Every structure is written in structure tokens, then in C-alpha cells.
Amino acid sequence: MWMYSVGKVLMQLPMRMIYRMTVSGREHIPPKNEKGFILAANHISNIDPIMLGLIMKQQLYFMAKEELFENQFVGWVLHHIGAFSVARGKGDMQAVNYAEDIIKADRTLGIFPEGTRSKSGELLKAKSGVILIAGSTGGDILPACITAFPNKPFRRKHVHIAFGEMIENEKLGLTGTKNLAQIKAASKMLMADIANLRQETLSMEGAGGKDET
């Protein structure tokens, strides 16, 4: 979508002025135009999709809560940059089916497993959606962790994005999409990977020496 590409260019400068974004694990991001996969990250801010979009070479297609589409203009913009609405907590199968189509079309689905923002920055329990989509599409999952560091006077806010190794679909241990024990175990596996990325980031004391976008 042309609007996504234009928006990505326009957001580069203001984001660099406000944030010092550093990245680790960039080597785990698949090359562009390979098979579709799921990018699963924790959620701490409304600008998380923008930050991830600036880093990823692939266009990201994000689930967004349906309330954001209530404003006609905002909804139009979101639609034209690849976002699609989901009714949270209602078993929105239309959104799930759309997400599955994205993976099957060899595109990249961006999703926040926790389903909502964490106000404290601590990881929340994952919802089942991301695993259900992975199970029905055979898509692999790329875990990512976004960590915001405390503000320092007269400095840009530091945000670090860490990418982990791709979780191959077979490692999720799913034999179907109705086995609740398997779904729960796979969700815990994913969040454990994200938690490890967060711990590694915090231990880097500000991610010094890592790539900066």
C-alpha cells in the first residue's frame, strides 16, 4: 500500500527527534518477500506499531481495536496503511479469518499477544489469538520485545526493540486449534521468549552499542 510507504518515510524524522531507538536481534528478521509469518511483540504504547514498522522491511498488517475505527477519517487512514479492526473479547472470527488470509498471502501479521497495553511495562498474560492464528495457518512466530527506559533530562526517550529467534510452527506443539492445553502451553512458550528478550535488554544497561535506527 502506497500510503504505508509514504507514512513510513514521513515518520522517520519526528520519531528520531523524539526517541533514541536501538535494536538488537535484527539478524532474526527474515528477508523481505519470503513466506508470511507473525510478528508478536509486547505492547506498552500506542506508537508501538509505528516503531516496529520503521524497523521491519516487510509491511506490517496490524490488528487494531474496533474503537479506533469509529472516527471515519482515522478509520480510513488505518485501513489504508494495512490495519484492520478486531472486536476484543468477543471472539471476532471475521478478524481472525482476515489475519489468516494475511499469513496465507505471504505477508506479515503484526499482533500484540497480550491484547492490551501494559501500563507498567511488565508483561501481561497472553490471549489465545496469536496461537490460534499460527495453528490454523502454519505460520511461524517472530518474538519481539519493546522496552522503554526512564527519561533522562535533556535527552531523547530511549526505546529498545529486541528480536528473538523465529519460533517455527512445529515447535508450538499444536495438533489442532481446539486443544486448550496445547494452546496454553504454546502461549507460555511465546511469552517466555519475550520475557527473556526483555531481561536481556534490561541487563544491557540501556542497550549501549546496539544498532540505532
Side-chain angles (χ1 to χ4, degrees), residues 93-145:
M93 291 309 301
Q94 183 176 351
V96 172
N97 292 336
Y98 189 86
E100 292 173 351
D101 289 341
I102 290 172
I103 303 300
K104 293 175 181 178
D106 291 333
R107 295 173 177 172
T108 304
L109 173 67
I111 190 168
F112 300 114
E114 299 157 300
T116 188
R117 283 178 296 151
S118 170
K119 295 180 180 179
S120 67
E122 297 294 327
L123 299 182
L124 306 177
K125 184 179 179 181
K127 306 294 184 181
S128 61
V130 61
I131 301 301
L132 290 174
I133 293 169
S136 61
T137 61
D140 300 333
I141 303 177
L142 179 67
C145 184

Side-chain angles (χ1 to χ4, degrees), residues 2-144:
W2 67 268
M3 201 166 178
Y4 183 93
S5 299
V6 172
K8 189 170 180 177
V9 172
L10 293 177
M11 290 304 299
Q12 288 280 356
L13 182 58
M15 290 295 287
R16 286 177 180 272
M17 293 176 64
I18 300 172
Y19 299 95
R20 183 170 76 88
M21 293 171 56
T22 53
V23 183
S24 61
R26 199 188 291 267
E27 68 275 10
H28 299 309
I29 302 175
K32 192 175 180 181
N33 299 324
E34 284 199 349
K35 69 175 184 177
F37 65 92
I38 301 167
L39 171 64
N42 63 316
H43 194 15
I44 60 174
S45 168
N46 285 329
I47 63 170
D48 291 342
I50 298 175
M51 290 189 171
L52 292 169
L54 291 177
I55 297 169
M56 299 289 291
K57 295 179 180 179
Q58 298 88 344
Q59 175 171 345
L60 298 178
Y61 294 81
F62 268 102
M63 280 187 174
K65 59 183 181 180
E66 63 179 350
E67 291 82 0
L68 294 176
F69 290 80
E70 292 177 354
N71 180 289
Q72 189 172 1
F73 175 73
V74 173
W76 181 86
V77 172
L78 290 173
H79 173 73
H80 281 81
I81 60 173
F84 59 100
S85 67
V86 58
R88 297 183 298 179
K90 299 180 181 179
D92 189 344
M93 291 309 301
Q94 183 176 351
V96 172
N97 292 336
Y98 189 86
E100 292 173 351
D101 289 341
I102 290 172
I103 303 300
K104 293 175 181 178
D106 291 333
R107 295 173 177 172
T108 304
L109 173 67
I111 190 168
F112 300 114
E114 299 157 300
T116 188
R117 283 178 296 151
S118 170
K119 295 180 180 179
S120 67
E122 297 294 327
L123 299 182
L124 306 177
K125 184 179 179 181
K127 306 294 184 181
S128 61
V130 61
I131 301 301
L132 290 174
I133 293 169
S136 61
T137 61
D140 300 333
I141 303 177
L142 179 67

